[in-house]
Amino acid sequence: MASFCKVSVMAFFLLASGPFLSSPALAFEANEQEFSLASEPSSSSEQDIIPPALRHYLFQCLQKLGEECRPLFFARIFIGEKNEIPTSCCQNLVQMGDKCHTAITNAVISRPEFSGNATLFRTRSDETWTTCSRLVETISPGPSA
């Protein structure tokens, strides 16, 4: 339980901090027309090199994922815990979309403390996406033809 609390705190601060989102290795093409910049988080750091639209996009993605779900996905993908992801969190992930999921994963991998295992983390990320997609598909199948 103490380990889970450490992971939760670490994931929250890592994913919600401005400095985290200022990594130069983060690669994502954001279309400014897809979202409003009105509530974009601001940063006064001179080191902040993530374009404001991308930073805003990542914050939106994290909000869609949900506060209670973020640490579960973080632990599964980046720590390798075999935790069970609740159906509601899988629904949040799928509704958030693969584009957001990939952007968040790339943002974490861009950090020096995670970049050494990028291939492993991308594999876990893909496996997590596939598992959640299949689960959501079984409980809410698409329209019948």
Side-chain angles (χ1 to χ4, degrees), residues 27-45:
F28 178 82
E29 294 180 29
N31 180 348
E32 292 182 26
Q33 296 174 349
E34 290 181 6
F35 46 83
S36 166
L37 300 177
S39 62
E40 169 192 324
S42 61
S43 173
S44 59
S45 170

Side-chain angles (χ1 to χ4, degrees), residues 27 51 68 76 107 115 134:
E68 67 285 350
R76 184 181 190 103
S115 61
R134 288 181 180 158

Side-chain angles (χ1 to χ4, degrees), residues 3-24:
S3 174
F4 179 75
C5 290
K6 286 180 189 177
V7 169
S8 298
V9 170
M10 182 175 135
F12 172 76
F13 285 114
L14 181 66
L15 295 175
S17 69
F20 169 76
L21 296 177
S22 66
S23 172

Side-chain angles (χ1 to χ4, degrees), residues 14 31 69 73 91:
L14 181 66
N31 180 348
C69 301
F73 287 114
Q91 289 171 319

